[in-house]
Amino acid sequence: MKEEYPFQKVVFLDTMTLHYIRLCLESAKKDGLEFPTDEQTVSILKNHFGKVSEKLLKESLLQGLETIVLLSRDVQVEYAPVSEIEILTGITEGEARVKMAQEGIPHRIWSNFLPKEIRDRIAIEDLAAIKDRIDDLNSMLEESGVTITRSDSDRTNEVIELAKGIVGLIYMGEIDSIIYASAVAAGANYLITADSYLIETVNYIRDSQEQRYEEIRQKLNELISEVILKTEIEIKLPQAFTVTHTGRRKGLSSPSFP
């Protein structure tokens, strides 16, 4: 008889979710507003972000705020170290593109945008400033009343081995496979992600009764037992969902959380 795996109440974040949270907190700090620690400050921030004219930016700010509100419950929140690198490189590329736009680069050059263009336009001090922004995230989160920790680095080898096994069972992008493997290794109940394909795939692996996914689920459980647990244990895989800018939770099979 298989032993039941003792999951903790763990919520795992993907890179885009972490990005929305960072965007919300950085914007509040820049505008001299308090972080969302109570209902009154949450209401003030909602009104403030609601006045942003650019629709996608407004929704991203509100999505970050709604996620922070959700995570202020009694749950353990983690993210994969690779997410910090992904955000850092994303901001760096964005800074390089801004510099190119200021130079008035001709249209045809944009289609041949190469890593060399980023490297040659971003100085060491630019990179240091970007890294400082990422390093400031944890302190800003603490001020907002949410504790989010980087996933245990001691699990790195196991996570990579598990990610390889996952990609051998079902198609998943390389970063997504590492984030999903990290969530599984952390014993996560939930994975919050803005990626609709990842939500669908993770939830199919967890719940679908189709033969293909039942086989994937069985093989993944065997892989987890072999790579991480070193024993045969029946586990419940994480459920994936997203938090919308209106506060809806899309992807949850039940409305309750956690």
Side-chain angles (χ1 to χ4, degrees), residues 17 92 142 166 214 251:
T17 303
T92 302
E142 286 179 10
I166 289 168
E214 286 185 342

Side-chain angles (χ1 to χ4, degrees), residues 106-151:
H107 177 264
R108 65 184 178 85
I109 304 300
W110 289 101
S111 61
N112 297 315
F113 191 77
L114 301 172
K116 180 180 182 300
E117 303 290 344
I118 302 174
R119 183 198 67 198
D120 292 349
R121 284 174 172 79
I122 300 295
I124 292 175
E125 53 268 26
D126 295 328
L127 289 169
I130 294 169
K131 184 176 179 299
D132 285 343
R133 287 171 64 183
I134 306 304
D135 292 341
D136 284 344
L137 180 58
N138 280 333
S139 61
M140 286 194 295
L141 284 164
E142 286 179 10
E143 290 180 58
S144 75
V146 177
T147 301
I148 301 180
T149 59
R150 186 189 297 113
S151 210

Side-chain angles (χ1 to χ4, degrees), residues 181-224:
S182 298
V184 170
N189 298 78
Y190 302 98
L191 169 62
I192 302 182
T193 170
D195 186 329
S196 59
Y197 174 79
L198 188 59
I199 291 173
E200 182 181 73
T201 303
V202 167
N203 289 341
Y204 278 170
I205 293 172
R206 180 183 187 270
D207 295 322
S208 177
Q209 299 306 305
E210 291 182 32
Q211 183 178 351
R212 177 190 181 189
Y213 290 101
E214 286 185 342
E215 290 177 3
I216 290 171
R217 187 159 52 244
Q218 179 185 346
K219 290 178 181 177
L220 181 53
N221 269 286
E222 291 171 359
L223 184 64
I224 293 166

Side-chain angles (χ1 to χ4, degrees), residues 69-99:
V69 170
L70 186 69
L71 297 178
S72 11
R73 305 188 183 196
D74 186 22
V75 291
Q76 179 181 333
V77 189
E78 295 187 24
Y79 65 89
V82 71
S83 288
E84 289 185 343
I85 299 171
E86 198 173 12
I87 291 175
L88 201 158
T89 55
I91 294 174
T92 302
E93 180 174 338
E95 296 277 0
R97 287 181 177 271
V98 168
K99 292 188 177 189

